[in-house]
Amino acid sequence: MNNVFVYLEIEGQSVADVSLELLTKGRKLADRLGVKLEAIAIGSKLDGIERQVMPYGVDALHVFDDPRLSPYTTQPHAAVLVGLFKEEKPQVCLMGATVVGRDLGPRVSSALKSGLTADCTSLEIGDHDDPKTGKSYKDLLYQIRPAFGGNIIATIVNPEHRPQMATVREGVMKKEILDPDYKGTVVRHDVNEYVPDAEYIVKVIDRHIQKAKNNLKNAPIVVAGGYGVGSKEGFDMLFELARELHAEVGASRAAVDAGFVEHDRQVGQTGVTVRPKLYIACGISGQIQHLAGMQESKIIISINTDPDAPINTIADYVVVGKVEDVVPKMIKYYKAHSK
Amino acid sequence: MSLKIAVLAKQVPDTRNVGKDAMKEDGTINRAALPAIFNPEDLNALEQALRLKDQFPGTTVTMLTMGPGRAAEIIREGLYRGADEGYLLTDRAFAGADTLATSYAIATAIRKTGPFDLIIGGRQAIDGDTAQVGPQVAEKLGLPQVTYAEEILNLDENARKVTIERHIDGGVETVEAPYPLVVTVNGSAAPCRPRNAKLVQKYKRALGVQEKAAITKDGGVLPYADLYETRPYLNLKELSAADVDADFSQCGLAGSPTKVKAVISISFQTKDSKRMTGSDNDVEGLVVELLSNHTIG
C-alpha cells in the first residue's frame, strides 16, 4: 500500500532505458517517502525480466505474462494497471513519456479519476498548503514541467487523488544501478483476473521498428540548427560540419516544424535531452523548451545574428554572425588545423 | 453508407512564435500578445474526417470545441473547410479545467450530441502538449482509442472496422480497430485542405450566441440581422454545462485533480560568454582553441 510504482515499457524482452531511468528516480522518491518501490512488467515471455530491473532497487515486481499482451495495445495494459492500482493503492505512478506511456497514462488516470502530469522534467517531494481551502498536505509529488510552449515552468500537485501520476521523457532522468545483488520479490499474476477477453479489441496487424536512425542522445558533439538556418538546404552545411567533427545533427522545434529536418532530431523538452561535451547552436534563438533539453552540455557555442538571442546567456562562446558564413569557416579551419 | 464523425478541435494561443513581450513582468502570460489559432494537429484530424466524408457520401462531420465565446471561430473555420455543423461547449463552470475535467465535459457533450461512429482529434494541443484529452475522452465513453494516427487507411462498413497507420517510438504500426472509436492524429499526417470559397461565402456571417451578444452590447447593431432567421445554419450552436447534463463537481477547477502550485518564468544559469564576430580571424581562433583543449579533434 502507498508505494511508488513504475510501469515498465518492454520492447521484445528488454526493458526500455526510460523505465530504468524512472526506477532510479522512483527509488529515490520511495526512500524520501519511506515506502517501497514496485514495478509492473506487462508482456509476453517475461521469464527472467527481474534480472534487468532488480539492480535498480525494486522491492516488488508484478509480472503479467500473456502472449496477447505483446505487442502493446491500450486496453489490456490499462485494465491491468487499473485493477492492480485498485488493490495496491500506490501513492505515485511513473511512466515514460513515450508513445506507449502517453497512450496508456491518460486512459488509466481517467479510469481512476486521478491526476496525470505529462512530460515532467523534474520530480520532487514537498508539502503544499492549498490557498483556497486552507488545507495542508505533507509529502506530495511536485510534478515540474515547462508549460505554455515552454515559456514557463509549472509545479503541479495532486492533493486529493491517488495515485499521483507523471510521465517523463527518455534521457531526462539518469539511470543508475543501486546494487547488482538487490533482492526484491517477484509476484506473478493471473492475467485473466485482470483483463476480460473483450478488452483485446484493437489488433496490431503490422509493425516495423527501425533502429534509431541517429544517435543524438549519446553523441559527444551535437551540431544543432534552428529556424535561423532557413531551409532544408541550409541544414546540409550543418551535416557537413557534423561529419567532420564526428558529431550528430540536432534541431530546434521551430526547425522541425518548418520541415528542415526529421522529427527524431528535435532537441528539447518535447524532443531528445542531450548532454554532449560540445553543443553548437546554429541560428537557434533559445526557447526555454529547447534550452531545457541541452543546458547541461559541457561547452555551448551559439552562432546567431542576434547578439541578444536568449541562448547566448547560457553559451560559453557567442559568435555574432550569419550561420551560412560562420559554419563554412569552421569547416575550413577545422580541416586546416586538425591535420 | 454514411458515417457520423465528430472532430474535436481547440482554439489555442500560438505558443510557437513567442516574442519577448509574451511574458509580463510578474511572470504571467500576456495572452494579448499571442494570437489565438486553430490548434495545428486538430486541422490534421479534420482532414482525416473530410476524407471519409469524400469517400462515404452522406457522412456528416460535426465540429466540437470548448472555450469562451470567441472560440466559435473554430466552428466557422471547420465549416469553411467542409464540416457540416458544430457545437461550442461554453460555460463558466468549465473554466480552469485540467485534462481530466476537460475530457469529462467533452465526453458529456459527445453523449448529448452523438452517437458518432468516429471521434477524431489532434494528438495534442500546443498550449499544453499533454496528449491526454483524446485517451481520456475514449475512456469516459468506454470506447477504444487509436492515438498517434498518421492515416486512416481503410474503413470497412460491413465489419464496422477501420485500419489505421500510426507512429510508434522508432517505427510504424498498422492496427485494426472496431468503431465507434476515438482517433488522435499527428501533425505529420496529411495537411488540411484549404478553405472552400463557396463555403466561406455561405458561412462567413455565421456567429455564436456570445459573439452576437458582443456585437449588440452597448447598443451595437448586428449587421444583416434578418439573415439569422432565414438561414438557421448561420446560428452557431452553443452548449452549456446544464445543456449536456454535466455534473458540476466534475467540471472546471472543481473537477480537476491536478492543481498548479507555482508558475515561474524559468531562468538558467547564465555564463560569462566569450563574444566574437564571424570574421575569419575570430572563427579560426575559436577552432584552434577547441582543438587545443581537446573539445574537438
Side-chain angles (χ1 to χ4, degrees), chain A residues 122-172:
Chain A
S122 177
L123 297 169
E124 291 165 18
I125 303 294
D127 299 339
H128 175 63
D129 298 316
D130 192 314
K132 285 210 181 73
T133 61
K135 274 171 108 176
S136 291
Y137 302 86
K138 276 202 88 60
D139 290 346
L140 292 187
L141 181 70
Y142 287 0
Q143 301 148 55
I144 301 163
R145 76 179 299 251
F148 225 73
N151 297 287
I152 53 173
I153 297 278
T155 300
I156 313 285
V157 290
N158 311 344
E160 299 281 355
H161 299 79
R162 298 291 176 274
Q164 306 164 80
M165 297 178 65
T167 66
V168 180
R169 283 186 178 261
E170 183 178 334
V172 173

Short mmCIF file of all heavy atoms in Angstrom, two decimals, chain A residues 122-172:
data_model
loop_
_atom_site.label_atom_id
_atom_site.label_comp_id
_atom_site.label_asym_id
_atom_site.label_seq_id
_atom_site.Cartn_x
_atom_site.Cartn_y
_atom_site.Cartn_z
N SER A 122 11.25 17.40 -13.87
CA SER A 122 11.79 17.22 -12.53
C SER A 122 10.67 16.73 -11.61
O SER A 122 9.51 17.10 -11.78
CB SER A 122 12.35 18.57 -12.06
OG SER A 122 12.82 18.46 -10.74
N LEU A 123 11.02 15.85 -10.68
CA LEU A 123 10.05 15.33 -9.70
C LEU A 123 10.66 15.46 -8.32
O LEU A 123 11.79 15.04 -8.09
CB LEU A 123 9.75 13.85 -10.00
CG LEU A 123 9.10 13.52 -11.33
CD1 LEU A 123 9.11 12.01 -11.57
CD2 LEU A 123 7.67 14.04 -11.39
N GLU A 124 9.92 16.07 -7.42
CA GLU A 124 10.42 16.25 -6.05
C GLU A 124 9.30 15.97 -5.07
O GLU A 124 8.14 15.92 -5.45
CB GLU A 124 10.90 17.70 -5.86
CG GLU A 124 12.16 18.05 -6.64
CD GLU A 124 12.40 19.55 -6.72
OE1 GLU A 124 11.82 20.28 -5.90
OE2 GLU A 124 13.14 19.98 -7.61
N ILE A 125 9.67 15.80 -3.82
CA ILE A 125 8.67 15.62 -2.77
C ILE A 125 8.64 16.89 -1.93
O ILE A 125 9.69 17.44 -1.58
CB ILE A 125 9.03 14.42 -1.86
CG1 ILE A 125 9.17 13.14 -2.69
CG2 ILE A 125 8.01 14.26 -0.73
CD1 ILE A 125 7.90 12.65 -3.33
N GLY A 126 7.45 17.35 -1.61
CA GLY A 126 7.36 18.56 -0.80
C GLY A 126 5.95 18.75 -0.25
O GLY A 126 5.03 18.02 -0.61
N ASP A 127 5.79 19.74 0.60
CA ASP A 127 4.49 20.00 1.21
C ASP A 127 3.72 21.02 0.40
O ASP A 127 4.26 21.70 -0.46
CB ASP A 127 4.69 20.51 2.64
CG ASP A 127 5.42 19.48 3.50
OD1 ASP A 127 5.39 18.29 3.10
OD2 ASP A 127 6.02 19.86 4.51
N HIS A 128 2.43 21.10 0.69
CA HIS A 128 1.57 22.01 -0.07
C HIS A 128 0.48 22.55 0.83
O HIS A 128 -0.20 21.80 1.53
CB HIS A 128 0.96 21.24 -1.25
CG HIS A 128 -0.04 22.04 -2.03
ND1 HIS A 128 0.30 23.18 -2.70
CD2 HIS A 128 -1.36 21.86 -2.25
CE1 HIS A 128 -0.78 23.68 -3.30
NE2 HIS A 128 -1.81 22.89 -3.04
N ASP A 129 0.33 23.87 0.83
CA ASP A 129 -0.81 24.49 1.51
C ASP A 129 -1.75 25.00 0.45
O ASP A 129 -1.35 25.80 -0.40
CB ASP A 129 -0.32 25.68 2.36
CG ASP A 129 0.63 25.22 3.45
OD1 ASP A 129 0.32 24.20 4.09
OD2 ASP A 129 1.69 25.87 3.64
N ASP A 130 -2.98 24.53 0.49
CA ASP A 130 -3.95 24.99 -0.51
C ASP A 130 -4.46 26.37 -0.10
O ASP A 130 -5.07 26.53 0.95
CB ASP A 130 -5.10 24.00 -0.61
CG ASP A 130 -5.96 24.27 -1.83
OD1 ASP A 130 -6.32 25.45 -2.05
OD2 ASP A 130 -6.28 23.33 -2.55
N PRO A 131 -4.21 27.39 -0.94
CA PRO A 131 -4.60 28.75 -0.56
C PRO A 131 -6.12 28.90 -0.47
O PRO A 131 -6.62 29.74 0.27
CB PRO A 131 -4.03 29.61 -1.69
CG PRO A 131 -3.77 28.69 -2.84
CD PRO A 131 -3.57 27.33 -2.27
N LYS A 132 -6.88 28.07 -1.22
CA LYS A 132 -8.34 28.23 -1.23
C LYS A 132 -9.00 27.57 -0.03
O LYS A 132 -9.84 28.14 0.63
CB LYS A 132 -8.91 27.64 -2.53
CG LYS A 132 -8.64 28.54 -3.72
CD LYS A 132 -9.71 28.41 -4.78
CE LYS A 132 -9.39 29.30 -5.96
NZ LYS A 132 -8.27 28.78 -6.77
N THR A 133 -8.59 26.32 0.24
CA THR A 133 -9.27 25.57 1.30
C THR A 133 -8.55 25.71 2.64
O THR A 133 -9.11 25.37 3.68
CB THR A 133 -9.31 24.07 0.95
OG1 THR A 133 -7.96 23.60 0.84
CG2 THR A 133 -10.03 23.82 -0.36
N GLY A 134 -7.29 26.19 2.60
CA GLY A 134 -6.52 26.31 3.82
C GLY A 134 -5.99 24.98 4.32
O GLY A 134 -5.39 24.90 5.39
N LYS A 135 -6.22 23.91 3.54
CA LYS A 135 -5.73 22.59 3.96
C LYS A 135 -4.23 22.45 3.69
O LYS A 135 -3.72 23.02 2.72
CB LYS A 135 -6.45 21.49 3.19
CG LYS A 135 -7.78 21.08 3.84
CD LYS A 135 -8.54 20.15 2.93
CE LYS A 135 -8.57 18.72 3.43
NZ LYS A 135 -9.41 17.87 2.54
N SER A 136 -3.56 21.68 4.54
CA SER A 136 -2.13 21.43 4.34
C SER A 136 -1.92 19.96 3.98
O SER A 136 -2.59 19.09 4.51
CB SER A 136 -1.36 21.73 5.62
OG SER A 136 -1.39 23.12 5.84
N TYR A 137 -0.99 19.74 3.09
CA TYR A 137 -0.68 18.38 2.65
C TYR A 137 0.81 18.15 2.83
O TYR A 137 1.62 19.00 2.46
CB TYR A 137 -1.06 18.19 1.18
CG TYR A 137 -2.51 18.45 0.89
CD1 TYR A 137 -2.95 19.74 0.62
CD2 TYR A 137 -3.44 17.41 0.85
CE1 TYR A 137 -4.28 20.00 0.34
CE2 TYR A 137 -4.78 17.66 0.57
CZ TYR A 137 -5.19 18.95 0.31
OH TYR A 137 -6.51 19.20 0.04
N LYS A 138 1.17 16.99 3.34
CA LYS A 138 2.59 16.67 3.52
C LYS A 138 3.05 15.73 2.42
O LYS A 138 2.31 14.85 1.98
CB LYS A 138 2.80 15.97 4.88
CG LYS A 138 2.95 16.96 6.03
CD LYS A 138 3.67 16.32 7.23
CE LYS A 138 5.18 16.44 7.16
NZ LYS A 138 5.66 17.83 7.12
N ASP A 139 4.29 15.89 2.00
CA ASP A 139 4.94 14.92 1.12
C ASP A 139 4.17 14.62 -0.16
O ASP A 139 3.93 13.47 -0.50
CB ASP A 139 5.19 13.62 1.88
CG ASP A 139 6.27 13.79 2.93
OD1 ASP A 139 6.98 14.81 2.88
OD2 ASP A 139 6.39 12.90 3.78
N LEU A 140 3.78 15.66 -0.87
CA LEU A 140 3.17 15.45 -2.19
C LEU A 140 4.28 15.34 -3.23
O LEU A 140 5.41 15.76 -3.01
CB LEU A 140 2.27 16.62 -2.56
CG LEU A 140 0.98 16.82 -1.77
CD1 LEU A 140 0.15 17.92 -2.41
CD2 LEU A 140 0.16 15.52 -1.70
N LEU A 141 3.91 14.76 -4.38
CA LEU A 141 4.83 14.73 -5.51
C LEU A 141 4.72 16.05 -6.26
O LEU A 141 3.65 16.39 -6.77
CB LEU A 141 4.49 13.55 -6.43
CG LEU A 141 5.40 13.39 -7.64
CD1 LEU A 141 6.79 12.92 -7.21
CD2 LEU A 141 4.81 12.38 -8.63
N TYR A 142 5.82 16.80 -6.30
CA TYR A 142 5.86 18.00 -7.13
C TYR A 142 6.18 17.55 -8.56
O TYR A 142 7.24 17.00 -8.81
CB TYR A 142 6.96 18.97 -6.68
CG TYR A 142 6.70 19.73 -5.39
CD1 TYR A 142 5.54 19.55 -4.65
CD2 TYR A 142 7.65 20.65 -4.94
CE1 TYR A 142 5.33 20.26 -3.48
CE2 TYR A 142 7.45 21.37 -3.77
CZ TYR A 142 6.29 21.17 -3.03
OH TYR A 142 6.10 21.87 -1.87
N GLN A 143 5.24 17.79 -9.45
CA GLN A 143 5.45 17.43 -10.85
C GLN A 143 5.78 18.70 -11.60
O GLN A 143 4.93 19.56 -11.78
CB GLN A 143 4.19 16.75 -11.39
CG GLN A 143 3.84 15.49 -10.59
CD GLN A 143 2.35 15.23 -10.50
OE1 GLN A 143 1.68 15.15 -11.51
NE2 GLN A 143 1.84 15.12 -9.30
N ILE A 144 7.03 18.82 -12.00
CA ILE A 144 7.53 20.07 -12.54
C ILE A 144 7.73 19.93 -14.04
O ILE A 144 8.37 18.99 -14.50
CB ILE A 144 8.84 20.46 -11.83
CG1 ILE A 144 8.54 20.59 -10.32
CG2 ILE A 144 9.43 21.75 -12.37
CD1 ILE A 144 9.75 20.55 -9.43
N ARG A 145 7.11 20.83 -14.80
CA ARG A 145 7.22 20.74 -16.25
C ARG A 145 7.11 22.11 -16.88
O ARG A 145 6.44 22.99 -16.36
CB ARG A 145 6.11 19.85 -16.81
CG ARG A 145 4.75 20.53 -16.85
CD ARG A 145 3.67 19.65 -17.41
NE ARG A 145 3.89 19.22 -18.78
CZ ARG A 145 3.20 19.67 -19.84
NH1 ARG A 145 2.27 20.57 -19.71
NH2 ARG A 145 3.45 19.19 -21.05
N PRO A 146 7.80 22.28 -18.02
CA PRO A 146 7.57 23.50 -18.78
C PRO A 146 6.14 23.48 -19.33
O PRO A 146 5.62 22.42 -19.64
CB PRO A 146 8.59 23.41 -19.92
CG PRO A 146 9.57 22.38 -19.49
CD PRO A 146 8.80 21.42 -18.64
N ALA A 147 5.51 24.62 -19.41
CA ALA A 147 4.17 24.70 -19.97
C ALA A 147 4.11 25.88 -20.92
O ALA A 147 5.05 26.67 -21.00
CB ALA A 147 3.14 24.88 -18.85
N PHE A 148 3.00 25.94 -21.62
CA PHE A 148 2.77 27.07 -22.49
C PHE A 148 3.88 27.21 -23.52
O PHE A 148 4.51 28.25 -23.64
CB PHE A 148 2.65 28.34 -21.65
CG PHE A 148 1.50 29.17 -22.10
CD1 PHE A 148 0.20 28.77 -21.82
CD2 PHE A 148 1.68 30.30 -22.85
CE1 PHE A 148 -0.87 29.50 -22.27
CE2 PHE A 148 0.61 31.04 -23.31
CZ PHE A 148 -0.67 30.65 -23.01
N GLY A 149 4.12 26.12 -24.23
CA GLY A 149 5.14 26.14 -25.26
C GLY A 149 6.53 26.28 -24.68
O GLY A 149 7.48 26.62 -25.38
N GLY A 150 6.68 26.00 -23.39
CA GLY A 150 7.99 26.06 -22.76
C GLY A 150 8.37 27.44 -22.28
O GLY A 150 9.52 27.70 -21.98
N ASN A 151 7.40 28.33 -22.18
CA ASN A 151 7.73 29.68 -21.76
C ASN A 151 7.67 29.86 -20.25
O ASN A 151 8.13 30.87 -19.72
CB ASN A 151 6.81 30.68 -22.45
CG ASN A 151 7.02 30.62 -23.94
OD1 ASN A 151 8.02 31.10 -24.44
ND2 ASN A 151 6.12 29.98 -24.65
N ILE A 152 7.04 28.91 -19.58
CA ILE A 152 7.00 28.97 -18.12
C ILE A 152 7.27 27.56 -17.57
O ILE A 152 7.16 26.57 -18.29
CB ILE A 152 5.63 29.46 -17.59
CG1 ILE A 152 4.50 28.61 -18.19
CG2 ILE A 152 5.42 30.92 -17.87
CD1 ILE A 152 3.15 28.90 -17.60
N ILE A 153 7.62 27.52 -16.30
CA ILE A 153 7.77 26.24 -15.63
C ILE A 153 6.68 26.16 -14.56
O ILE A 153 6.56 27.05 -13.73
CB ILE A 153 9.15 26.14 -14.94
CG1 ILE A 153 10.27 26.19 -15.98
CG2 ILE A 153 9.24 24.88 -14.09
CD1 ILE A 153 10.55 24.89 -16.65
N ALA A 154 5.90 25.11 -14.62
CA ALA A 154 4.80 24.97 -13.67
C ALA A 154 5.09 23.81 -12.73
O ALA A 154 5.62 22.78 -13.14
CB ALA A 154 3.50 24.73 -14.41
N THR A 155 4.76 24.00 -11.46
CA THR A 155 4.81 22.92 -10.49
C THR A 155 3.37 22.48 -10.23
O THR A 155 2.53 23.28 -9.82
CB THR A 155 5.45 23.37 -9.17
OG1 THR A 155 6.77 23.82 -9.46
CG2 THR A 155 5.51 22.24 -8.17
N ILE A 156 3.09 21.22 -10.53
CA ILE A 156 1.72 20.69 -10.43
C ILE A 156 1.69 19.73 -9.24
O ILE A 156 2.63 18.96 -9.03
CB ILE A 156 1.35 19.90 -11.71
CG1 ILE A 156 1.71 20.68 -12.97
CG2 ILE A 156 -0.11 19.47 -11.69
CD1 ILE A 156 0.84 21.81 -13.33
N VAL A 157 0.60 19.77 -8.48
CA VAL A 157 0.41 18.79 -7.41
C VAL A 157 -0.98 18.18 -7.53
O VAL A 157 -1.88 18.79 -8.10
CB VAL A 157 0.56 19.44 -6.00
CG1 VAL A 157 2.00 19.80 -5.73
CG2 VAL A 157 -0.35 20.65 -5.84
N ASN A 158 -1.14 16.98 -7.02
CA ASN A 158 -2.46 16.33 -6.95
C ASN A 158 -2.77 16.11 -5.47
O ASN A 158 -2.44 15.07 -4.93
CB ASN A 158 -2.47 14.95 -7.62
CG ASN A 158 -1.88 14.95 -9.01
OD1 ASN A 158 -1.70 16.00 -9.61
ND2 ASN A 158 -1.58 13.77 -9.51
N PRO A 159 -3.38 17.09 -4.81
CA PRO A 159 -3.53 16.98 -3.36
C PRO A 159 -4.42 15.82 -2.92
O PRO A 159 -4.09 15.11 -1.98
CB PRO A 159 -4.16 18.32 -2.96
CG PRO A 159 -3.94 19.22 -4.13
CD PRO A 159 -3.88 18.35 -5.33
N GLU A 160 -5.56 15.61 -3.60
CA GLU A 160 -6.57 14.71 -3.06
C GLU A 160 -6.64 13.36 -3.74
O GLU A 160 -7.31 12.45 -3.25
CB GLU A 160 -7.96 15.37 -3.17
CG GLU A 160 -8.11 16.68 -2.40
CD GLU A 160 -8.35 16.44 -0.93
OE1 GLU A 160 -8.50 15.27 -0.52
OE2 GLU A 160 -8.37 17.44 -0.17
N HIS A 161 -6.04 13.19 -4.88
CA HIS A 161 -6.27 11.97 -5.66
C HIS A 161 -5.02 11.12 -5.75
O HIS A 161 -3.92 11.63 -5.86
CB HIS A 161 -6.79 12.31 -7.05
CG HIS A 161 -8.10 13.06 -7.03
ND1 HIS A 161 -8.17 14.41 -6.77
CD2 HIS A 161 -9.38 12.64 -7.22
CE1 HIS A 161 -9.44 14.79 -6.79
NE2 HIS A 161 -10.18 13.73 -7.07
N ARG A 162 -5.22 9.81 -5.71
CA ARG A 162 -4.11 8.86 -5.81
C ARG A 162 -4.43 7.83 -6.87
O ARG A 162 -5.58 7.45 -7.00
CB ARG A 162 -3.86 8.17 -4.46
CG ARG A 162 -3.46 9.12 -3.34
CD ARG A 162 -2.06 9.70 -3.58
NE ARG A 162 -1.69 10.69 -2.58
CZ ARG A 162 -1.99 11.99 -2.66
NH1 ARG A 162 -2.62 12.47 -3.70
NH2 ARG A 162 -1.62 12.82 -1.72
N PRO A 163 -3.42 7.32 -7.59
CA PRO A 163 -2.02 7.71 -7.48
C PRO A 163 -1.75 9.07 -8.12
O PRO A 163 -2.50 9.52 -8.98
CB PRO A 163 -1.28 6.62 -8.24
CG PRO A 163 -2.28 6.07 -9.21
CD PRO A 163 -3.63 6.23 -8.58
N GLN A 164 -0.66 9.70 -7.68
CA GLN A 164 -0.16 10.89 -8.35
C GLN A 164 0.63 10.38 -9.54
O GLN A 164 1.65 9.73 -9.37
CB GLN A 164 0.73 11.69 -7.41
CG GLN A 164 0.06 12.04 -6.08
CD GLN A 164 1.05 12.48 -5.03
OE1 GLN A 164 1.50 13.62 -5.01
NE2 GLN A 164 1.42 11.57 -4.15
N MET A 165 0.14 10.66 -10.75
CA MET A 165 0.75 10.07 -11.94
C MET A 165 1.55 11.11 -12.73
O MET A 165 1.13 12.25 -12.86
CB MET A 165 -0.33 9.47 -12.85
CG MET A 165 -1.09 8.32 -12.19
SD MET A 165 -2.39 7.66 -13.25
CE MET A 165 -1.40 6.99 -14.60
N ALA A 166 2.69 10.65 -13.26
CA ALA A 166 3.51 11.55 -14.05
C ALA A 166 4.21 10.76 -15.15
O ALA A 166 4.57 9.60 -14.96
CB ALA A 166 4.55 12.24 -13.18
N THR A 167 4.38 11.41 -16.31
CA THR A 167 5.23 10.82 -17.34
C THR A 167 6.49 11.67 -17.50
O THR A 167 6.46 12.88 -17.25
CB THR A 167 4.53 10.70 -18.72
OG1 THR A 167 4.28 12.01 -19.24
CG2 THR A 167 3.23 9.93 -18.62
N VAL A 168 7.59 11.00 -17.88
CA VAL A 168 8.88 11.67 -18.03
C VAL A 168 9.52 11.15 -19.31
O VAL A 168 9.47 9.94 -19.59
CB VAL A 168 9.82 11.35 -16.83
CG1 VAL A 168 11.17 12.03 -17.00
CG2 VAL A 168 9.18 11.75 -15.52
N ARG A 169 10.10 12.04 -20.08
CA ARG A 169 10.74 11.61 -21.33
C ARG A 169 12.05 10.89 -21.09
O ARG A 169 12.71 11.11 -20.08
CB ARG A 169 11.01 12.81 -22.24
CG ARG A 169 9.75 13.25 -22.89
CD ARG A 169 9.99 14.34 -23.90
NE ARG A 169 8.70 14.62 -24.48
CZ ARG A 169 8.29 14.14 -25.66
NH1 ARG A 169 9.08 13.41 -26.40
NH2 ARG A 169 7.09 14.41 -26.10
N GLU A 170 12.41 10.07 -22.08
CA GLU A 170 13.69 9.37 -22.01
C GLU A 170 14.83 10.38 -21.95
O GLU A 170 14.81 11.40 -22.62
CB GLU A 170 13.85 8.49 -23.25
CG GLU A 170 15.12 7.68 -23.21
CD GLU A 170 15.26 6.76 -24.41
OE1 GLU A 170 14.24 6.36 -24.99
OE2 GLU A 170 16.41 6.44 -24.75
N GLY A 171 15.82 10.08 -21.11
CA GLY A 171 17.02 10.91 -21.06
C GLY A 171 16.93 12.06 -20.07
O GLY A 171 17.93 12.71 -19.79
N VAL A 172 15.75 12.33 -19.54
CA VAL A 172 15.60 13.45 -18.61
C VAL A 172 16.16 13.08 -17.24
O VAL A 172 16.86 13.86 -16.60
CB VAL A 172 14.12 13.88 -18.51
CG1 VAL A 172 13.93 14.92 -17.41
CG2 VAL A 172 13.64 14.45 -19.84
#
